[in-house]
């Protein structure tokens, strides 16, 4: 063990316990992300200057949308984890698919579920789907930040071995080897940095180019995730998909990297199309 390694701050994963009812930090992270996103989304929806000719969502629309997004995130995140990360185990024990309190959520699956929920909701309310996806893209880093902090508190999804790194952490379930606190790297890159980028983007462009902000978020997340994956230990049941290095910058492709590549391509494509005006709604002809 490196003498400079930091001891893991033992924090009970259960934040509040009242009799048989236990509220975990992981659940509180989801609640904090959804409530923070809801609050900021309502402020953005109220800024008429951001929307231009697009129909502006009303406060009740944001209130209802958060329910749709919450269902999409939870269902999509769980289904994505089952399909991409541990399918064999769940096929052998199908009832464990319902045991969401034991952890096991995929961001990429939750992202797909949220996108589907937003598109369906937008069509039901006659709102521009791309603009509503843009709105969601701005607030999503709030949830990502709290989620990664919860991962660190739970001592899960730890980083790769880093015996010479002065701020490495010895995680309680990862053996005596000091490791990168990759959860905090992801909270910083996918959460804080991406949130600041999205704040700048909405102030610069507003929602007048539907799909532009969503493209910036998707590309930004994919890049941040791929970078952070170089410091994150691959999922035990999958390991490296290509290569075998466990060094921070020594290669090895993980599932998180692989799933982020198409995200980056889609994000770049949306930026290109939106910047050239292809996603702008056609002007409504004036009555004769």
């Amino acid at each position: 063990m490196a003498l400079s390694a930091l001891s893991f701050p033992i924090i009970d994963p259960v934040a509040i316990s009242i009799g048989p009812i236990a509220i975990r930090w992981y659940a509180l992270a989801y609640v904090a992300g959804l409530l923070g996103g809801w609050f900021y989304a309502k402020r953005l929806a109220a800024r008429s200057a951001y929307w231009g000719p697009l129909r502006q969502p009303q406060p009740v629309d944001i209130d209802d949308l958060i329910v749709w997004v919450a269902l999409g995130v939870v269902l999509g995140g769980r289904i994505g984890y089952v399909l991409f990360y541990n399918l064999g185990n769940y096929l052998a024990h199908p009832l464990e698919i319902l045991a969401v309190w034991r952890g096991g959520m995929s961001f990429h699956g939750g992202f797909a579920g949220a996108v589907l929920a937003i598109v369906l909701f937008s069509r039901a309310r006659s709102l521009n789907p791309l603009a509503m996806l843009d709105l969601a893209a701005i607030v999503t880093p709030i949830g990502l930040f709290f989620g990664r902090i919860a991962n660190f508190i739970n001592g899960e999804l730890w980083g790769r071995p880093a015996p010479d790194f002065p701020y490495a952490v010895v995680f309680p379930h990862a053996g005596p080897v000091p490791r990168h606190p990759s959860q905090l790297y992801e909270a910083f890159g996918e959460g804080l940095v991406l949130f600041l980028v999205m704040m700048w983007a909405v102030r610069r462009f507003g929602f007048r180019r539907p799909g532009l902000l969503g493209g910036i978020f998707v590309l930004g997340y994919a890049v941040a995730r791929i970078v952070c994956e170089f410091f994150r230990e691959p999922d035990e049941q999958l390991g490296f998909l290509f290569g075998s290095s466990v060094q921070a910058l020594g290669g090895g492709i993980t599932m998180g990297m692989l799933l982020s590549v198409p995200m980056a391509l889609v994000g770049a494509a949306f930026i290109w199309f939106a910047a050239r005006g292809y996603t702008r709604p056609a002007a409504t002809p004036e009555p004769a």
Side-chain angles (χ1 to χ4, degrees), residues 41 87 118 124 141 146 221 237 242-243 265:
L87 181 59
I118 292 169
F146 285 112
Y221 173 84
Q237 70 275 13
F242 308 99
L265 297 176

Side-chain angles (χ1 to χ4, degrees), residues 173-190:
H173 305 297
V177 180
R179 296 175 176 273
H180 283 284
S182 57
Q183 312 96 323
L184 301 183
Y185 301 170
E186 293 189 76
F188 177 75
E190 303 165 9

Side-chain angles (χ1 to χ4, degrees), residues 45-95:
R47 297 288 299 272
S48 300
Y50 286 167
W51 294 88
L54 297 176
R55 182 187 172 194
Q56 195 172 345
Q58 299 303 305
V60 67
D61 292 325
I62 305 301
D63 294 340
D64 294 341
L65 177 61
I66 196 68
V67 178
W68 287 59
V69 171
L71 290 174
V73 167
V74 173
L75 293 176
R78 187 58 172 176
I79 293 171
Y81 182 82
V82 170
L83 293 178
F84 297 133
Y85 289 93
N86 216 352
L87 181 59
N89 177 71
Y90 288 113
L91 288 177
H93 307 90
L95 291 181

Side-chain angles (χ1 to χ4, degrees), residues 159-232:
R160 303 188 193 185
D164 298 324
F165 182 54
Y167 300 105
V169 176
V170 178
F171 291 94
H173 305 297
V177 180
R179 296 175 176 273
H180 283 284
S182 57
Q183 312 96 323
L184 301 183
Y185 301 170
E186 293 189 76
F188 177 75
E190 303 165 9
L192 180 59
V193 172
L194 193 52
F195 179 67
L196 294 176
V197 170
M198 297 309 301
M199 284 185 64
W200 168 83
V202 71
R203 291 179 180 180
R204 175 67 177 82
F205 304 111
F207 300 100
R208 293 178 292 275
R209 300 179 181 179
L212 179 62
L213 299 180
I216 293 173
F217 166 77
V218 171
L219 177 60
Y221 173 84
V223 171
R225 178 63 182 268
I226 289 173
V227 171
C228 290
E229 284 284 322
F230 280 105
F231 300 92
R232 175 174 163 176

Side-chain angles (χ1 to χ4, degrees), residues 72-159:
V73 167
V74 173
L75 293 176
R78 187 58 172 176
I79 293 171
Y81 182 82
V82 170
L83 293 178
F84 297 133
Y85 289 93
N86 216 352
L87 181 59
N89 177 71
Y90 288 113
L91 288 177
H93 307 90
L95 291 181
E96 291 188 8
I97 295 176
L98 303 177
V100 293
W101 57 88
R102 297 179 184 173
M105 298 288 284
S106 163
F107 167 81
H108 297 89
F111 172 79
V115 167
L116 178 61
I118 292 169
V119 170
L120 294 176
F121 176 85
S122 300
R123 292 189 177 279
R125 298 294 175 91
S126 299
L127 296 166
N128 186 288
L130 287 178
M132 295 304 293
L133 288 171
D134 288 341
L135 179 62
I138 299 168
V139 304
T140 296
I142 299 174
L144 292 175
F145 175 82
F146 285 112
R148 294 310 183 191
I149 295 297
N151 291 149
F152 181 78
I153 291 174
N154 287 348
E156 62 189 5
L157 305 182
W158 51 74

